[in-house]
């Protein structure tokens, strides 16, 4: 079994050495999960619920430890990392109610009765990205386990530490061996086995659109189910009648949170032309005040980028662009990049059209609702976005017209575990979270019972 070094993006130093599973080890993990499924699906709904609540309680006991791992491994600020560990706990608690509520239907038919059952699929493979390692893992494994499936989870090569710890905590909580297994390794090895192995009946992938397309194509060979949460290039649309001070103060957090390494980042700022100059004047001090610091500090609002290679990629978008203003970032060790605001002169500018996945905000004026809709929808992506206006009618018109899976009015909130989350167009397929998520990990079985004598 090979191994790889895990680095601290704030310093570049080595944190740990993690074993990387090969094909044989991955197949063995999948086969253990397949055997565990035979008994896990038979666990009484109330008992499965209790185990998930216990898992949530054990996570809660280790929130600070998990947060510390995420700060050092992913460069997340300590405030964000505490929220992320708490989100794993809360998602487990939320879906612990699902086993006892996976109700089928009784459908009126002649000559008998007809009922439906939600049957678990089997082994579910979950492929997690490096930008939000903990919450995205939980969004997959919690509803999958609640529905009676077993899970094999591949963390990103750059950020495996919290997933490995969560597997240990699951066993500590009493989940049987093989029910939840973390399989570190390369996507080309572990992820590919999730796609190709016939015992894996569904793959959940969060990552780039390019890789998502290849996973979907591979799963098609076995008619294997997929949920895909892919790229984004979300718009933040500010109308002249909005509370401009509030919108300008909120804009940096909407795009620079997690150093812009967020598919939901509002990286395209559309401002109505009558207030364009005023809004930029309000935005500049908010950007300059955004605190890019050692992520372990409670005051930090943004940490480093994930790697040197990614920092170079982000910098390539700003090299030839028109910079309006930037914030501050530490110098020296680590992969730091300042919050940067660019002026988009054309909708063909690469920084306007492509997912930069860094702390870069592109700004463009618009005339009216029609042009705002045209500019917002002129992208292959459709994951999230925001509208700022005091006009309720306009908010509803725009919300229906913008082609995106998640939209906030006078807010930058994208994710709540109580509500569905997912993308339109090339931002993905299917929905995570919300009350219906466990159903996506089941097959509906229809049973007709004749009452004829």
């Amino acid at each position: 079994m090979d191994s790889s070094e895990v680095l601290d993006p704030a310093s570049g130093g080595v944190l740990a050495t993690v074993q990387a599973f090969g094909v044989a080890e991955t197949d063995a993990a999948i086969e253990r999960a397949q055997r565990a499924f035979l008994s896990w699906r038979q666990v009484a709904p109330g008992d499965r619920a209790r185990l998930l609540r216990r898992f949530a309680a054990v996570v809660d006991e280790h929130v600070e430890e998990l947060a510390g791992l995420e700060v050092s491994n992913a460069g997340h600020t300590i405030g964000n990392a505490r929220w992320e560990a708490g989100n794993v706990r809360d998602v487990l608690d939320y879906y612990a109610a699902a086993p006892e509520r996976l109700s089928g239907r009784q459908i009126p038919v002649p000559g008998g009765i007809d009922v439906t059952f939600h049957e678990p699929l089997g082994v579910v493979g979950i492929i997690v990205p490096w930008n939000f390692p903990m919450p995205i893992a939980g969004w997959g494994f919690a509803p999958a386990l609640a529905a009676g499936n077993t899970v094999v989870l591949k963390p990103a090569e750059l950020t495996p530490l919290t997933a490995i710890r969560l597997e240990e905590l699951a066993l500590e909580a009493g989940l049987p061996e093989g029910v939840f297994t973390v399989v570190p390794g390369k996507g080309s090895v572990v992820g590919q086995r999730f796609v190709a192995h016939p015992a894996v009946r569904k793959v959940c992938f969060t990552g780039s659109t390019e890789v998502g397309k290849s996973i979907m194509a591979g799963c098609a060979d076995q008619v294997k189910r997929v949920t895909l949460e892919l790229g984004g290039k979300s718009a933040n649309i500010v109308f002249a009648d909005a509370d401009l001070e509030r919108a300008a103060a909120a804009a940096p957090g909407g795009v620079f949170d997690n150093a812009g390494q967020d598919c939901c980042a509002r990286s395209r700022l559309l401002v109505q032309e009558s207030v364009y100059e005023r809004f930029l004047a309000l935005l500049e001090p908010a950007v300059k005040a955004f605190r890019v610091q050692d992520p372990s500090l409670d005051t930090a609002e943004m940490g480093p980028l994930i790697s040197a290679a990614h920092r170079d990629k982000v910098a390539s978008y700003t090299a030839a662009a028109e910079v309006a203003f930037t914030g501050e970032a530490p110098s020296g060790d680590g992969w730091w990049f300042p919050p940067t605001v660019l002026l988009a002169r054309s909708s063909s500018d690469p920084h306007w059209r492509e997912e930069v996945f860094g702390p870069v905000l592109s700004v463009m004026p618009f005339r009216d609702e029609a042009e705002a809709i045209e500019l917002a929808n002129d992208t292959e992506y459709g994951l999230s976005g925001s509208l700022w206006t005091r006009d309720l009618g306009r908010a509803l018109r725009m919300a229906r017209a913008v082609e995106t899976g998640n939209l906030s009015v006078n807010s930058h909130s994208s994710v709540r575990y109580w509500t569905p989350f997912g993308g339109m167009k090339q931002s993905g397929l299917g929905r995570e979270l919300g009350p219906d998520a466990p159903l996506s990990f089941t097959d509906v079985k229809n049973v007709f019972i004749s009452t004829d004598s």
Side-chain angles (χ1 to χ4, degrees):
M1 191 181 295
D2 294 332
S3 62
S4 61
E5 291 182 336
V6 178
L7 305 181
D8 179 347
S11 68
V14 177
L15 288 173
T17 300
V18 172
Q19 291 184 323
F21 281 44
V23 172
E25 294 87 2
T26 303
D27 284 358
I30 292 169
E31 286 150 18
R32 285 195 300 273
Q34 186 180 27
R35 290 192 296 272
F37 170 67
L38 300 177
S39 56
W40 179 245
R41 69 175 301 175
Q42 299 299 329
V43 173
D47 292 334
R48 196 184 311 141
R50 276 186 284 277
L51 283 168
L52 293 177
R53 286 196 294 271
R54 176 60 185 151
F55 190 4
V58 173
V59 170
D60 189 49
E61 293 165 4
H62 293 82
V63 161
E64 203 64 25
E65 177 196 351
L66 290 165
L69 282 174
E70 210 70 301
V71 169
S72 58
N73 190 185
H76 291 191
T77 63
I78 185 61
N80 279 7
R82 287 177 179 135
W83 178 90
E84 290 157 16
N87 183 258
V88 175
R89 172 202 61 216
D90 294 344
V91 168
L92 278 165
D93 264 332
Y94 181 73
Y95 289 112
E100 296 170 289
R101 291 164 174 79
L102 278 177
S103 301
R105 303 174 65 189
Q106 181 268 313
I107 302 170
V109 294
I113 61 171
D114 196 275
V115 294
T116 63
F117 299 92
H118 292 288
E119 302 287 9
L121 300 174
V123 180
V124 173
I126 299 172
I127 302 173
V128 176
W130 51 257
N131 60 327
F132 289 107
M134 273 195 290
I136 290 176
W139 302 350
F141 70 67
L145 294 173
N149 303 277
T150 55
V151 168
V152 286
L153 184 143
K154 192 200 91 66
E157 295 164 59
L158 296 174
T159 56
L161 298 186
T162 48
I164 292 169
R165 186 63 179 128
L166 285 169
E167 180 187 21
E168 294 169 351
L169 297 180
L171 292 171
E172 182 180 325
L175 268 70
E177 292 272 359
V179 168
F180 174 54
T181 306
V182 173
V183 190
K186 294 182 178 180
S188 59
V189 178
V190 177
Q192 182 56 36
R193 291 308 297 156
F194 287 5
V195 171
H197 199 297
V200 178
R201 297 310 307 145
K202 179 173 181 175
V203 174
C204 299
F205 171 78
T206 301
S208 72
T209 298
E210 180 183 6
V211 175
K213 289 178 180 178
S214 69
I215 287 173
M216 188 174 181
C219 288
D221 285 341
Q222 297 176 32
V223 196
K224 185 176 297 190
R225 289 160 180 75
V226 291
T227 295
L228 304 174
E229 196 269 276
L230 307 176
K233 192 68 177 176
S234 300
N236 179 17
I237 306 170
V238 180
F239 285 92
D241 72 323
D243 182 336
L244 298 182
E245 288 76 12
R246 183 179 167 213
V255 63
F256 302 140
D257 184 60
N258 200 33
Q261 299 167 134
D262 181 356
C263 298
C264 293
R266 278 69 168 169
S267 55
R268 294 184 299 151
L269 175 60
L270 291 162
V271 183
Q272 197 157 21
E273 60 186 9
S274 62
V275 296
Y276 179 75
E277 296 299 336
R278 181 183 169 203
F279 191 84
L280 287 181
L282 292 169
L283 180 64
E284 183 171 5
V287 170
K288 290 184 180 297
F290 206 74
R291 295 185 299 274
V292 185
Q293 298 174 322
D294 179 339
S296 66
L297 297 174
D298 286 333
T299 53
E301 294 178 288
M302 178 179 136
L305 293 172
I306 190 64
S307 68
H310 189 58
R311 182 181 59 184
D312 292 344
K313 175 178 178 288
V314 172
S316 70
Y317 283 97
T318 66
E322 185 176 353
V323 178
F325 43 83
T326 67
E328 301 294 331
S331 56
D333 294 336
W335 301 306
W336 302 95
F337 199 90
T340 301
V341 177
L342 306 178
L343 301 180
R345 299 307 186 187
S346 165
S347 59
S348 62
D349 288 349
H351 64 84
W352 178 262
R353 296 207 66 81
E354 299 174 20
E355 187 178 31
V356 178
F357 221 61
V360 176
L361 176 63
S362 304
V363 189
M364 184 181 290
F366 68 89
R367 291 185 302 274
D368 52 23
E369 287 184 27
E371 187 178 29
I373 293 167
E374 180 183 356
L375 289 169
N377 290 342
D378 183 23
T379 173
E380 64 185 5
Y381 299 115
L383 185 58
S384 196
S386 297
L387 305 169
W388 293 81
T389 178
R390 288 187 171 98
D391 184 332
L392 177 59
R394 168 180 286 153
L396 290 172
R397 288 192 301 273
M398 293 293 297
R400 297 302 300 272
V402 176
E403 298 167 348
T404 190
N406 308 271
L407 200 61
S408 296
V409 178
N410 299 327
S411 163
H412 290 312
S413 174
S414 288
V415 177
R416 293 176 174 85
Y417 58 82
W418 311 277
T419 59
F421 174 75
M424 294 181 177
K425 300 191 285 189
Q426 293 195 39
S427 282
L429 182 71
R431 293 293 181 268
E432 297 177 301
L433 301 176
D436 296 334
L439 300 183
S440 70
F441 294 99
T442 66
D443 273 322
V444 175
K445 178 181 287 180
N446 189 77
V447 177
F448 171 74
I449 305 169
S450 174
T451 56
D452 290 342
S453 58

